[in-house]
């Protein structure tokens, strides 16, 4: 975080960048084991996922603490959801070899609607 602060970025951008990094770890922790460790015992997959999720929390907690100073709680949550889908789709397509579907676009448009409602009048 100190690197981002040293770059004189506004808290709104620092929060978003930390949430993006956090979501990369979150996505890998939640779904990455399905590619290579799906035949391993679930306890091993859970422990591996928890280890990865630690890094998610080390980024997510400061991201939310910084973000709450510039966003409302609902705005912060909807930013998180948009970032989550934005990270998940490339992960699913490029890492997990899932087909790119038009449904991803429709889901993204629904989230844009949610963003509109959370930020209108802000």
């Amino acid at each position: 975080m100190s690197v981002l602060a040293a770059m004189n970025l506004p808290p709104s951008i620092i929060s978003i960048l930390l949430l993006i990094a956090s979501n990369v770890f979150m996505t890998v922790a939640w779904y990455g084991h399905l590619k290579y460790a799906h035949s391993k015992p679930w306890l091993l997959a859970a422990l591996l996922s928890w280890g990865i999720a630690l890094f998610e929390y080390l980024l997510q907690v400061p991201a939310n603490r910084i973000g709450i100073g510039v966003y409302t709680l609902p705005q912060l949550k909807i930013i998180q959801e948009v970032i989550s889908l934005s990270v998940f789709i490339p992960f699913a397509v490029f890492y997990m070899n899932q087909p790119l579907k038009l449904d991803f676009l429709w889901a993204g448009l629904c989230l844009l609607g949610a963003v509109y409602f959370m930020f209108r009048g802000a």
Side-chain angles (χ1 to χ4, degrees):
M1 184 176 66
S2 61
V3 172
L4 295 174
M7 296 173 64
N8 292 324
L9 295 173
S12 58
I13 300 299
I14 292 172
S15 177
I16 289 172
L17 290 174
L18 288 171
L19 284 172
I20 291 169
S22 166
N23 267 274
V24 170
F25 283 105
M26 177 191 73
T27 301
V28 171
W30 284 15
Y31 304 106
H33 62 89
L34 296 175
K35 184 166 185 171
Y36 294 112
H38 66 277
S39 62
K40 304 287 186 213
W42 74 267
L43 184 58
L44 180 64
L47 291 173
L48 178 64
S49 293
W50 284 344
I52 295 168
L54 170 66
F55 295 100
E56 179 224 341
Y57 279 93
L58 290 174
L59 295 167
Q60 182 263 346
V61 170
N64 284 334
R65 291 172 67 103
I66 293 167
I68 201 65
V70 291
Y71 301 113
T72 66
L73 185 62
Q75 288 172 340
L76 198 54
K77 179 58 181 169
I78 208 65
I79 290 168
Q80 159 66 31
E81 294 303 329
V82 169
I83 291 170
S84 181
L85 186 62
S86 299
V87 168
F88 177 77
I89 291 172
F91 174 85
V93 172
F94 296 114
Y95 184 74
M96 299 296 288
N97 300 316
Q98 297 294 302
L100 182 61
K101 294 184 172 185
L102 202 51
D103 290 343
F104 294 146
L105 173 65
W106 304 137
L109 289 174
C110 288
L111 279 176
L112 284 178
V115 168
Y116 168 76
F117 286 111
M118 286 300 173
F119 281 86
R120 71 179 173 158

